[in-house]
Amino acid sequence: MLQQIRDRTSGIVAGFIVALLVVPFAFFGIETFAGGGGDPVVAKVGKQKIHQSQFQNNYDQRYRQYVSLMGENFKPEEFKADSFRKLVLDDMTQEAMLRQFADQAGYRANDAVVFDYLSRIPAFQKEGKFDTETYRAVLARQGLDPVRFEEQVRNSIAIEQMRSGVLETAFITDADIQQAWRLAMQDRVVEYALFDNTKYLAQASVTEEQVKARYDQKKAQLMAPERIRLAYVELSQAKLAQASLPGQDVLKTIYDAEKASRFTTQEQRKASHILVNFGADKSAAKKKAEGLAAQLKGGADFAALARANSDDTGSKAQGGDLGWIKRGQMPESFEKELFDLKAGEVAGPIETEFGWQLIRLDDLKPSVTRALADADVQQELISLYQNRELAKRFQEQTEKLEQLAFESNASLDPVAKELGVQVQTTDWFTRDAGTGIAANPAVMQAAFSPEVREDNENSKPITVGESLVVVRKAEYEAPRQRPLAEVAESLREELRAEIAKAQAQADAKKLLAELRAGKPLVEAVIAAGAELRQPGAVKRVQQGEDPLLLQAVFKLPRPAAGKPQYSELSLVNGNVVVAVLTDVRDPTPATVQEVAQLRPRLREMQAGAEFTAYQKVIGEKVEIKLVNPPTAAASPEEE
């Protein structure tokens, strides 16, 4: 069936949805891990290797998705490239590990399962039904081969089968729910002494000698990273002028070539069916189907029989209605019977790969060809011609760009003059962050390559969105030692913050010792020069209170009668706190309704925890070894 889909599909449709088509669990980097030659290995997962090129492709895809998702909120200077690289590689290694284990454990997805999954994806549907033309068009738009894509889906489904086997068996007891309720709804009575960081900062002083000593201590860390500015030319198809309007003879030639596929609608047949699965006894299933066929000949209602007897869960409730069907959408044996029927006729039982089927033709739409003189056809032909001419000219320009960039390797001026574009420049950027075209990972990689950075050569054309760019070095600054004068103020503030925090912590520890010795809280806080705050009963999540304070309070043991529990901690803003827990108040038990509401969420949490543990077990069986984790500074080399 999958081969039939591949062989009989064509068309155009919006393509970005493909990113959402894999099983929700599947990680990015789903393609087969293959590579070799000069392509370095960055990680080994069991018997598989993840190569630098595969990592880079996945990194680029994830980076583009992240930038698109953030939109105007994306700030290159705040982007943590090292963390992002680690995240991408972790996802790839985990997916490869689970895929291998699922295969070893015998999880499989046959053609019928894969087709069923694909047919339910809205991106592959037209008017609510799976459409083969749309299917192939979506994949073509994303540059995906159907055979390879279906194998990806097959692997993802196998992993999801394994994952579901763990997640769907998780359960939660009423006692677990009551315990979770008690912890979540618990109140804790707290008061605390606040040692304000700003007061200590105002008192902290730092000498020039201390600043110089800190500079000498951290000198190796106080380096300005290398940075570069690029000159570049950009070739964009969108900026090319449209071709002039073609004559009618040209339109007629295009029309004749495209008439069958573009301007002729296929014959469509509206069908209903009753499916009887083979089950354990194929002959018994056939007898059942023959009995249903006899009832239909006797005047029984087709829809009623389908609702009562069909094994197709997708159409059973609709009386077996399959909607409108074109040639190529169904198995050959099914279509052969359907397209020989007259309206109202019933065929079967016929044998297909899914079981015994009874088919009724409900209605049909004959094939229709739109005329050349049709205004919409004319406009479509003009657009088709102009788009093809535009693509042809862009391809010619692309080839010329590559040739000129190579032949005029010492400058972009001849390239710009020949192609009629301007030489532009980027802002300064580092290996980790850039703006404009310099935010593109491929441009970053080319910018710091030896050919561009050291040899002053033009890069090869690089795809950036819908454009091609060729870059070369405009200016470069090597890593440099920042002088003391440049960093003195930041070092001074760093030292002042450390002195202030140390003094606040010393005062807090002194207060804590006095409280444990029995000194009254109010008296001790006033003597320490701190601020006493008394929020009273608080919950784990409390508006207006610092999360770190709440975490510390809820980690303390229950206080015994008249014996508070204490905790000393530093907050993110630099303030230091001594917290005093005086009471713990448990809620009333959850009601039956509250238990029912909590159960799905807690079960989901439990299932996630169990699968995390299961992954650890898998990790012991399928080893993950990082050979040379990719970095911005250098390409990894295979060990």
Side-chain angles (χ1 to χ4, degrees):
M1 179 176 292
L2 295 177
Q3 186 60 47
Q4 293 173 343
I5 297 173
R6 292 193 287 266
D7 292 343
R8 307 180 186 182
T9 50
S10 62
I12 298 175
V13 77
F16 76 93
I17 317 171
V18 170
L20 305 177
L21 297 186
V22 294
V23 178
F25 166 71
F27 293 111
F28 294 91
I30 191 171
E31 72 269 28
T32 301
F33 295 126
D39 195 2
V41 172
V42 298
K44 295 179 180 178
V45 183
K47 297 179 180 180
Q48 296 180 358
K49 296 178 180 179
I50 300 177
H51 290 263
Q52 170 67 17
S53 62
Q54 292 153 344
F55 168 80
Q56 191 63 51
N57 288 338
N58 279 269
Y59 180 90
D60 292 349
Q61 178 189 14
R62 289 282 290 272
Y63 181 84
R64 288 192 297 269
Q65 290 173 340
Y66 176 76
V67 172
S68 176
L69 180 66
M70 294 297 291
E72 296 179 356
N73 295 320
F74 176 70
K75 295 183 174 67
E77 66 277 8
E78 297 179 4
F79 178 71
K80 307 297 183 184
D82 287 341
S83 298
F84 200 73
R85 276 188 287 272
K86 183 178 184 304
L87 173 66
V88 173
L89 187 57
D90 285 348
D91 281 355
M92 293 179 70
T93 55
Q94 287 293 306
E95 195 276 337
M97 177 189 76
L98 293 171
R99 184 196 305 173
Q100 286 187 57
F101 186 80
D103 184 64
Q104 293 169 8
Y107 291 94
R108 299 288 186 273
N110 59 27
D111 278 0
V113 172
V114 174
F115 177 72
D116 178 69
Y117 175 75
L118 295 177
S119 67
R120 298 173 188 273
I121 296 173
F124 295 156
Q125 294 177 356
K126 189 174 183 180
E127 298 178 357
K129 299 287 185 180
F130 178 82
D131 182 74
T132 50
E133 294 180 4
T134 301
Y135 170 73
R136 183 144 191 157
V138 170
L139 298 188
R141 184 72 173 268
Q142 296 297 306
L144 296 174
D145 173 67
V147 176
R148 188 178 180 188
F149 178 72
E150 288 154 17
E151 187 61 26
Q152 294 169 2
V153 173
R154 193 185 310 278
N155 288 333
S156 297
I157 291 174
I159 294 174
E160 180 62 15
Q161 289 172 347
M162 176 183 67
R163 176 176 174 268
S164 297
V166 177
L167 298 184
E168 293 177 6
T169 56
F171 65 92
I172 196 92
T173 68
D174 287 350
D176 294 330
I177 295 173
Q178 290 292 353
Q179 173 73 351
W181 171 267
R182 184 179 67 79
L183 294 175
M185 303 306 293
Q186 189 181 83
D187 288 333
R188 295 201 162 200
V189 180
V190 66
E191 46 194 340
Y192 59 91
L194 177 71
F195 294 84
D196 190 346
N197 181 59
T198 58
K199 182 184 75 171
Y200 289 92
L201 275 174
Q203 299 169 356
S205 62
V206 178
T207 66
E208 295 302 318
E209 289 75 15
Q210 288 174 306
V211 173
K212 176 64 167 61
R214 176 57 60 90
Y215 177 77
D216 292 338
Q217 177 189 356
K218 296 183 64 175
K219 197 170 183 178
Q221 303 170 39
L222 299 174
M223 298 287 293
E226 64 177 332
R227 61 177 190 163
I228 195 169
R229 289 177 67 237
L230 296 176
Y232 69 96
V233 292
E234 180 179 8
L235 184 62
S236 171
Q237 182 171 318
K239 294 179 181 179
L240 295 178
Q242 284 280 12
S244 57
L245 293 176
Q248 280 298 311
D249 56 336
V250 175
L251 296 183
K252 175 67 165 57
T253 300
I254 299 173
Y255 176 80
D256 290 341
E258 299 287 336
K259 181 167 63 175
S261 61
R262 187 178 295 272
F263 301 111
T264 300
T265 60
Q266 291 186 39
E267 176 187 357
Q268 296 184 60
R269 297 203 162 206
K270 192 172 188 297
S272 297
H273 83 141
I274 298 173
L275 172 67
V276 179
N277 286 336
F278 293 140
D281 190 336
K282 186 174 180 179
S283 61
K286 184 177 182 180
K287 289 181 180 179
K288 178 180 177 181
E290 289 171 343
L292 294 173
Q295 292 183 56
L296 291 172
K297 289 180 180 179
D301 181 72
F302 192 99
L305 282 182
R307 291 189 189 96
N309 298 279
S310 181
D311 290 325
D312 180 8
T313 56
S315 66
K316 180 176 183 175
Q318 290 76 42
D321 182 15
L322 293 172
W324 291 96
I325 296 171
K326 299 177 184 177
R327 288 188 182 274
Q329 287 184 264
M330 302 299 287
E332 185 177 349
S333 56
F334 186 101
E335 286 187 358
K336 182 178 183 301
E337 296 291 340
L338 176 62
F339 282 85
D340 283 342
L341 291 175
K342 296 179 181 178
E345 287 184 342
V346 176
I350 61 168
E351 182 179 350
T352 69
E353 61 187 285
F354 302 108
W356 298 103
Q357 300 200 49
L358 301 172
I359 308 167
R360 184 181 68 183
L361 176 61
D362 299 324
D363 199 356
L364 62 87
K365 295 178 183 177
S367 173
V368 176
T369 300
R370 290 185 289 161
L372 173 61
D374 186 296
D376 290 339
V377 171
Q378 287 280 310
Q379 187 56 52
E380 192 171 339
L381 288 169
I382 291 171
S383 296
L384 188 60
Y385 169 79
Q386 290 183 326
N387 289 339
R388 286 177 176 175
E389 286 298 303
L390 197 63
K392 180 181 177 182
R393 282 166 43 223
F394 183 70
Q395 180 60 35
E396 292 171 351
Q397 294 281 70
T398 297
E399 294 172 359
K400 189 177 292 186
L401 173 67
E402 186 169 3
Q403 179 182 353
L404 290 169
F406 175 75
E407 293 176 349
S408 305
N409 208 15
S411 173
L412 289 176
D413 291 335
V415 181
K417 183 177 179 181
E418 182 70 23
L419 296 178
V421 296
Q422 297 293 319
V423 177
Q424 306 176 66
T425 55
T426 68
D427 291 331
W428 287 101
F429 64 95
T430 66
R431 289 180 181 271
D432 287 334
T435 59
I437 69 161
N440 183 282
V443 172
M444 282 188 185
Q445 188 176 24
F448 289 96
S449 67
E451 293 79 12
V452 172
R453 184 190 60 184
E454 299 170 11
D455 301 338
N456 293 310
E457 296 180 355
N458 295 334
S459 73
K460 295 179 180 179
I462 304 166
T463 300
V464 178
E466 300 295 323
S467 302
L468 285 175
V469 299
V470 171
V471 306
R472 67 176 294 105
K473 181 178 73 179
E475 293 182 81
Y476 173 77
E477 287 185 358
R480 62 181 176 84
Q481 180 68 58
R482 289 176 173 169
L484 174 60
E486 184 178 325
V487 297
E489 188 57 34
S490 64
L491 293 176
R492 184 175 290 106
E493 291 306 311
E494 180 182 296
L495 286 165
R496 290 181 66 239
E498 290 176 5
I499 292 170
K501 182 177 181 180
Q503 186 57 55
Q505 288 176 331
D507 289 350
K509 284 179 170 57
K510 180 180 177 182
L511 171 63
L512 187 58
E514 292 175 346
L515 293 175
R516 284 175 172 160
K519 191 171 184 177
L521 177 63
V522 175
E523 179 185 339
V525 171
I526 293 174
E531 176 188 350
L532 180 62
R533 294 189 178 182
Q534 298 173 302
V538 297
K539 294 192 180 297
R540 291 179 182 272
V541 178
Q542 183 86 19
Q543 286 282 353
E545 297 298 339
D546 190 287
L548 289 179
L549 170 64
L550 294 172
Q551 289 176 23
V553 167
F554 276 86
K555 286 181 179 178
L556 288 172
R558 287 175 178 264
K563 294 184 178 180
Q565 294 288 342
Y566 303 100
S567 178
E568 181 257 323
L569 69 148
S570 298
L571 304 181
V572 175
N573 60 10
N575 293 338
V576 178
V577 164
V578 173
V580 183
L581 175 65
T582 58
D583 193 18
V584 175
R585 301 172 183 173
D586 291 324
T588 57
T591 65
V592 173
Q593 183 179 4
E594 288 165 339
V595 168
Q597 291 173 342
L598 281 171
R599 190 181 300 278
R601 286 190 300 169
L602 293 177
R603 183 192 172 281
E604 184 177 344
M605 292 171 61
Q606 176 69 17
E610 289 181 6
F611 188 71
T612 299
Y614 191 59
Q615 281 182 280
K616 291 181 179 179
V617 174
I618 295 174
E620 296 172 0
K621 299 179 181 296
V622 183
E623 181 185 7
I624 295 175
K625 179 184 178 184
L626 300 184
V627 178
N628 277 305
T631 65
S635 297
E637 296 180 359
E638 185 172 358
E639 292 184 342

